[in-house]
Amino acid sequence: MRVLGLYKSKKYLQRVLISIMLSMVLVMSALSITNTFILEKSVKRNQEASNLKVLTQIQYNLSYMNEIITHLSIFVYRDNILIPMMFENDLPKMDLIRGYQRLNTILESSSFLHSIVVYNHSQNKLYGTTTPFLLDDGVTEAKIRKWLFDPSSPHKNSRLIPVSLEKKSGQIDAFAFIVADSLNVFNSSESAIILYIKSDWVFDSLKKMNVGSDREMGEVYIADDDGRLYSSRTDNLVASEKDQMQVKQLIDGDKKAMNRQSGFVIGNVAGKKSMITYMDDGMRNWKIVYIQSYDKLMQDVRQTRLQSIMISVIFLVVAIALSIGVSYKLYHPIENMLQRLRLHVPGNDQSDPNERDELSLMSNRYLKLSDKLHEISSEQIVNKYYIRKFLTDSQMFSHNDMKDLIEKHNLNISISKEIIVCVLQIDHYPEFDRMTTGATKKMYSFAMLNIAQEMMSESYPCEAVEIRGDHVVLIVSKSDRETDFRQVHPIIKEIQDKIHQYYNLSLSCGISDTISQFPYLASAYSQAIQLIPYRIVRGNKSIITSEEVKANLSNKQVALPDSIEKKLSEALKKGQMSEAGSELEKAFSILSTFHYDDMLRAVSNLSWIIKNTAMEISSNRIVQLDRDMDHILNLSQEKETLEEMYVPLLSACAQICGIGRPATMERNDMILETIKELIEQKYSDLNLSQQSIASNVKLTSAYIGKLFKDSTSMSITEYINDIRLKHAQQLLESDKYTIQEIMEKCGYSNSSYFFRLFKTKFGSTPKEYRMKKMLF
């Protein structure tokens, strides 16, 4: 009950939960309905295509049967023995006997014939081959005559016509095929032969299709012009004429609406929803009709729909569970904000009719807090003004005046205890100022001010103010708990670490001496400011007191000894880097004891000495310096610590010593570089050798050979082979050239010599090396 009560009280949470769950229900429901609709439509489309393929095959079978019967009918009609039976007025008995024999022979030779009837117009007589026709006292003959000469139902020649010869139920048991001279409608004024085809033979293909269609819950029919349906299973016809007419109307309506000769339509047949696929026969004015139960056809779709609904329900349950978790996760920050607002706004338990939900509540509480903060902000502006005034113009106030102002504005400064001033300044501020936007600088200043004041106030009464944007000033008083300022140093260290951790800013701090009179605040602030530059000795992120730089402030020496500067210059000219480094280190060790301004001047003088020495050496040497030395002249303005200044000067000395070597060494290096360049350019030349190189550089072969060997520990010939083999190795990694071509391009004419050198260097023959690279 408690959980339910908490839930009911959180109106915004209810709204989030209901929105998420309702969205999920709608999406899942729409997805399920869409999937089943698409599936049903796809099944219909696939079933139509499948049915039309079946009907096309049946149409082909019927056309093939019609062709067979047509050929047989022509043969029978032109039979010389049967012609007298059709046209003689007075038929001799022998011709009659021969005619019957011919008819029986034709029947026996054609398994699909049920019987043959010959009509003689001159005699108005029918001759038939079946036993009932001959022995039932004319009953069968009368039935055939009535059907054949029915004026209300004329029959076309050379067409399969469904008839009922023996069944009294009216169901067909044969198909009649009339052959006469006329090509149109048969009439009694012409002789003809009527071939009766067994219905089973005609429906044989339908039987086979129906065997397959059982799996599809349907049956194939033949429909005539009147809409009557015939099937191989005569006991399973669409029972009533009403149902057959309904099928005809559905088909005719679809044909008219879609203007097509084949297709499918869905409608009610015999009280059941059915899918009817149809196709015109094209020759006999028949239609091939395939009727399927729609419910059975869509049985799989219904099962799939049910499964989809079940899966959707499962997913919805899981989604609801997840939505509850997600909603509470999203709601958690709002709940935290409400708790914080309740801590700062009095009377938070009283309900407000305008607070419709948590957001409205927070809005109201924010307005109350905003009003309160506005009042506090106005008061803080006045307080910060007086604090800045105390730090810059404290000599304008008496001690009692400042005491009254501190009490009046409730400043957190002790009026009876000693005070110190701490200044926190950003290291490398010019670079920070150049790389940071105005809004970001304000944010950093605000953060530094609040963090410093909050951490210091935990142990000492403290007021903090930001001045000029590059530093924060803390006015720290002794407290009843802390009788001295020993904890100030570790607290400042914690402040530096915290700001560096959060904002990656390095701060240095200057701490003034203790004062007991308020008018000395400006002097204490000035002292703390002047202490900070001594980070040049102690490094960035340092904490500096007057006691720590007392030796620097009392030192009267203002310049380095001339002997150090002279020895540094001589060492550079001689190229003696160790001596130059030693003198530079001595110089920095001495100048670190100077007053701050004197340090900067000493560093500037060292920079000029190193630059002038470099210019003097460079003017007398062939090899020039790689870069200009002007950058070292600005070290005292660009760097903040001696360590930062020492490293560039030491690097400059190393560079100068690199060019200050003896002239002989310069000449030898130039010769060696020339030899290497010649080999790199002419490695493909078959005539390249130590002698040819000596000729090019105008020196003896023995001299350059010894010079090269002493310098590189290898002979010129070995170096030539090394360069050639490296180029051969690169060319072998592609299949652009043959091995012979590569050998020639790399300056070798002897293949065995080339192969031996290559295997010695790489451990494999050129061919093996190429194969390995191609494979791997």
Side-chain angles (χ1 to χ4, degrees), residues 353-373:
N354 294 324
E355 296 175 354
R356 297 184 300 275
D357 54 26
E358 290 88 331
L359 295 180
S360 300
L361 184 145
M362 284 194 294
S363 177
N364 291 337
R365 301 299 162 89
Y366 171 77
L367 291 175
K368 293 178 182 178
L369 281 175
S370 179
D371 294 339
K372 185 177 179 181
L373 288 173

mmCIF file of all heavy atoms in Angstrom, residues 353-373:
data_model
loop_
_atom_site.group_PDB
_atom_site.id
_atom_site.type_symbol
_atom_site.label_atom_id
_atom_site.label_comp_id
_atom_site.label_asym_id
_atom_site.label_seq_id
_atom_site.Cartn_x
_atom_site.Cartn_y
_atom_site.Cartn_z
ATOM 1 N N PRO A 353 -2.440 24.337 -4.860
ATOM 2 C CA PRO A 353 -3.373 23.886 -5.908
ATOM 3 C C PRO A 353 -2.820 24.070 -7.317
ATOM 4 O O PRO A 353 -3.236 23.406 -8.249
ATOM 5 C CB PRO A 353 -4.618 24.758 -5.680
ATOM 6 C CG PRO A 353 -4.139 25.922 -4.858
ATOM 7 C CD PRO A 353 -3.019 25.400 -4.023
ATOM 8 N N ASN A 354 -1.853 24.974 -7.512
ATOM 9 C CA ASN A 354 -1.270 25.182 -8.832
ATOM 10 C C ASN A 354 -0.226 24.130 -9.191
ATOM 11 O O ASN A 354 0.227 24.069 -10.327
ATOM 12 C CB ASN A 354 -0.632 26.575 -8.912
ATOM 13 C CG ASN A 354 -1.672 27.670 -8.819
ATOM 14 O OD1 ASN A 354 -2.772 27.521 -9.326
ATOM 15 N ND2 ASN A 354 -1.304 28.778 -8.163
ATOM 16 N N GLU A 355 0.175 23.322 -8.182
ATOM 17 C CA GLU A 355 1.198 22.301 -8.423
ATOM 18 C C GLU A 355 0.526 21.024 -8.915
ATOM 19 O O GLU A 355 0.212 20.115 -8.134
ATOM 20 C CB GLU A 355 2.011 22.057 -7.147
ATOM 21 C CG GLU A 355 2.808 23.283 -6.719
ATOM 22 C CD GLU A 355 3.523 23.087 -5.384
ATOM 23 O OE1 GLU A 355 3.288 22.035 -4.753
ATOM 24 O OE2 GLU A 355 4.279 23.971 -4.973
ATOM 25 N N ARG A 356 0.295 20.966 -10.235
ATOM 26 C CA ARG A 356 -0.404 19.824 -10.826
ATOM 27 C C ARG A 356 0.470 18.568 -10.837
ATOM 28 O O ARG A 356 -0.022 17.465 -10.795
ATOM 29 C CB ARG A 356 -0.842 20.167 -12.258
ATOM 30 C CG ARG A 356 -1.834 21.313 -12.320
ATOM 31 C CD ARG A 356 -2.288 21.539 -13.750
ATOM 32 N NE ARG A 356 -1.177 21.873 -14.606
ATOM 33 C CZ ARG A 356 -0.689 23.103 -14.754
ATOM 34 N NH1 ARG A 356 -1.200 24.118 -14.054
ATOM 35 N NH2 ARG A 356 0.324 23.339 -15.565
ATOM 36 N N ASP A 357 1.769 18.745 -10.965
ATOM 37 C CA ASP A 357 2.687 17.611 -10.952
ATOM 38 C C ASP A 357 4.043 18.100 -10.444
ATOM 39 O O ASP A 357 4.183 19.235 -9.985
ATOM 40 C CB ASP A 357 2.812 16.986 -12.344
ATOM 41 C CG ASP A 357 3.202 18.002 -13.409
ATOM 42 O OD1 ASP A 357 3.831 19.017 -13.038
ATOM 43 O OD2 ASP A 357 2.893 17.792 -14.592
ATOM 44 N N GLU A 358 5.025 17.187 -10.527
ATOM 45 C CA GLU A 358 6.342 17.512 -9.986
ATOM 46 C C GLU A 358 6.985 18.699 -10.692
ATOM 47 O O GLU A 358 7.698 19.496 -10.072
ATOM 48 C CB GLU A 358 7.265 16.295 -10.094
ATOM 49 C CG GLU A 358 6.905 15.159 -9.173
ATOM 50 C CD GLU A 358 5.903 14.194 -9.797
ATOM 51 O OE1 GLU A 358 5.096 14.628 -10.651
ATOM 52 O OE2 GLU A 358 5.931 13.029 -9.446
ATOM 53 N N LEU A 359 6.771 18.813 -12.012
ATOM 54 C CA LEU A 359 7.371 19.920 -12.754
ATOM 55 C C LEU A 359 6.786 21.261 -12.318
ATOM 56 O O LEU A 359 7.504 22.262 -12.176
ATOM 57 C CB LEU A 359 7.172 19.720 -14.253
ATOM 58 C CG LEU A 359 7.880 18.500 -14.871
ATOM 59 C CD1 LEU A 359 7.587 18.421 -16.354
ATOM 60 C CD2 LEU A 359 9.385 18.587 -14.635
ATOM 61 N N SER A 360 5.467 21.276 -12.078
ATOM 62 C CA SER A 360 4.843 22.505 -11.578
ATOM 63 C C SER A 360 5.370 22.836 -10.185
ATOM 64 O O SER A 360 5.626 24.003 -9.862
ATOM 65 C CB SER A 360 3.323 22.332 -11.539
ATOM 66 O OG SER A 360 2.807 22.066 -12.817
ATOM 67 N N LEU A 361 5.537 21.788 -9.380
ATOM 68 C CA LEU A 361 6.070 21.996 -8.032
ATOM 69 C C LEU A 361 7.473 22.599 -8.101
ATOM 70 O O LEU A 361 7.805 23.559 -7.402
ATOM 71 C CB LEU A 361 6.094 20.665 -7.283
ATOM 72 C CG LEU A 361 6.529 20.693 -5.807
ATOM 73 C CD1 LEU A 361 5.760 19.665 -5.003
ATOM 74 C CD2 LEU A 361 8.025 20.402 -5.691
ATOM 75 N N MET A 362 8.339 22.000 -8.968
ATOM 76 C CA MET A 362 9.705 22.517 -9.103
ATOM 77 C C MET A 362 9.699 23.944 -9.626
ATOM 78 O O MET A 362 10.525 24.767 -9.217
ATOM 79 C CB MET A 362 10.516 21.611 -10.031
ATOM 80 C CG MET A 362 10.958 20.318 -9.391
ATOM 81 S SD MET A 362 12.215 19.456 -10.342
ATOM 82 C CE MET A 362 11.309 19.040 -11.802
ATOM 83 N N SER A 363 8.775 24.250 -10.528
ATOM 84 C CA SER A 363 8.695 25.603 -11.065
ATOM 85 C C SER A 363 8.372 26.605 -9.966
ATOM 86 O O SER A 363 9.013 27.666 -9.857
ATOM 87 C CB SER A 363 7.638 25.655 -12.164
ATOM 88 O OG SER A 363 7.488 26.954 -12.660
ATOM 89 N N ASN A 364 7.401 26.256 -9.118
ATOM 90 C CA ASN A 364 7.039 27.151 -8.015
ATOM 91 C C ASN A 364 8.184 27.312 -7.020
ATOM 92 O O ASN A 364 8.494 28.414 -6.559
ATOM 93 C CB ASN A 364 5.797 26.625 -7.302
ATOM 94 C CG ASN A 364 4.554 26.731 -8.172
ATOM 95 O OD1 ASN A 364 4.501 27.551 -9.097
ATOM 96 N ND2 ASN A 364 3.554 25.912 -7.900
ATOM 97 N N ARG A 365 8.820 26.133 -6.712
ATOM 98 C CA ARG A 365 9.933 26.196 -5.760
ATOM 99 C C ARG A 365 11.101 26.989 -6.357
ATOM 100 O O ARG A 365 11.813 27.685 -5.652
ATOM 101 C CB ARG A 365 10.381 24.784 -5.402
ATOM 102 C CG ARG A 365 9.273 23.934 -4.774
ATOM 103 C CD ARG A 365 8.761 24.533 -3.473
ATOM 104 N NE ARG A 365 7.475 23.990 -3.106
ATOM 105 C CZ ARG A 365 7.307 22.892 -2.364
ATOM 106 N NH1 ARG A 365 8.361 22.234 -1.954
ATOM 107 N NH2 ARG A 365 6.103 22.474 -2.053
ATOM 108 N N TYR A 366 11.302 26.846 -7.664
ATOM 109 C CA TYR A 366 12.386 27.602 -8.314
ATOM 110 C C TYR A 366 12.135 29.108 -8.220
ATOM 111 O O TYR A 366 13.059 29.898 -7.966
ATOM 112 C CB TYR A 366 12.517 27.184 -9.774
ATOM 113 C CG TYR A 366 13.449 28.054 -10.579
ATOM 114 C CD1 TYR A 366 14.823 27.919 -10.454
ATOM 115 C CD2 TYR A 366 12.949 29.039 -11.424
ATOM 116 C CE1 TYR A 366 15.696 28.744 -11.166
ATOM 117 C CE2 TYR A 366 13.802 29.867 -12.133
ATOM 118 C CZ TYR A 366 15.172 29.715 -12.002
ATOM 119 O OH TYR A 366 16.013 30.530 -12.714
ATOM 120 N N LEU A 367 10.874 29.501 -8.415
ATOM 121 C CA LEU A 367 10.552 30.925 -8.328
ATOM 122 C C LEU A 367 10.816 31.458 -6.924
ATOM 123 O O LEU A 367 11.352 32.562 -6.746
ATOM 124 C CB LEU A 367 9.088 31.160 -8.722
ATOM 125 C CG LEU A 367 8.751 30.931 -10.208
ATOM 126 C CD1 LEU A 367 7.257 31.066 -10.449
ATOM 127 C CD2 LEU A 367 9.523 31.905 -11.095
ATOM 128 N N LYS A 368 10.474 30.631 -5.914
ATOM 129 C CA LYS A 368 10.732 31.058 -4.533
ATOM 130 C C LYS A 368 12.232 31.180 -4.280
ATOM 131 O O LYS A 368 12.698 32.139 -3.672
ATOM 132 C CB LYS A 368 10.110 30.053 -3.568
ATOM 133 C CG LYS A 368 8.585 30.037 -3.600
ATOM 134 C CD LYS A 368 8.025 28.988 -2.660
ATOM 135 C CE LYS A 368 6.497 28.943 -2.736
ATOM 136 N NZ LYS A 368 5.927 27.891 -1.850
ATOM 137 N N LEU A 369 12.976 30.147 -4.762
ATOM 138 C CA LEU A 369 14.434 30.193 -4.594
ATOM 139 C C LEU A 369 15.046 31.364 -5.358
ATOM 140 O O LEU A 369 16.003 31.992 -4.905
ATOM 141 C CB LEU A 369 15.061 28.886 -5.075
ATOM 142 C CG LEU A 369 14.987 27.698 -4.116
ATOM 143 C CD1 LEU A 369 15.539 26.449 -4.787
ATOM 144 C CD2 LEU A 369 15.774 27.986 -2.844
ATOM 145 N N SER A 370 14.501 31.636 -6.557
ATOM 146 C CA SER A 370 15.033 32.732 -7.367
ATOM 147 C C SER A 370 14.872 34.067 -6.647
ATOM 148 O O SER A 370 15.778 34.904 -6.632
ATOM 149 C CB SER A 370 14.318 32.755 -8.716
ATOM 150 O OG SER A 370 14.779 33.805 -9.507
ATOM 151 N N ASP A 371 13.692 34.254 -6.011
ATOM 152 C CA ASP A 371 13.476 35.495 -5.254
ATOM 153 C C ASP A 371 14.453 35.612 -4.098
ATOM 154 O O ASP A 371 15.023 36.678 -3.833
ATOM 155 C CB ASP A 371 12.036 35.538 -4.731
ATOM 156 C CG ASP A 371 11.030 35.646 -5.865
ATOM 157 O OD1 ASP A 371 11.437 36.076 -6.971
ATOM 158 O OD2 ASP A 371 9.850 35.286 -5.659
ATOM 159 N N LYS A 372 14.654 34.440 -3.435
ATOM 160 C CA LYS A 372 15.573 34.437 -2.303
ATOM 161 C C LYS A 372 17.009 34.724 -2.748
ATOM 162 O O LYS A 372 17.744 35.506 -2.122
ATOM 163 C CB LYS A 372 15.500 33.083 -1.597
ATOM 164 C CG LYS A 372 16.330 33.010 -0.326
ATOM 165 C CD LYS A 372 16.140 31.672 0.351
ATOM 166 C CE LYS A 372 16.999 31.583 1.613
ATOM 167 N NZ LYS A 372 16.842 30.253 2.274
ATOM 168 N N LEU A 373 17.407 34.078 -3.875
ATOM 169 C CA LEU A 373 18.759 34.294 -4.390
ATOM 170 C C LEU A 373 18.961 35.724 -4.861
ATOM 171 O O LEU A 373 20.066 36.267 -4.774
ATOM 172 C CB LEU A 373 19.032 33.312 -5.547
ATOM 173 C CG LEU A 373 19.224 31.845 -5.155
ATOM 174 C CD1 LEU A 373 19.303 30.974 -6.394
ATOM 175 C CD2 LEU A 373 20.493 31.680 -4.321
#
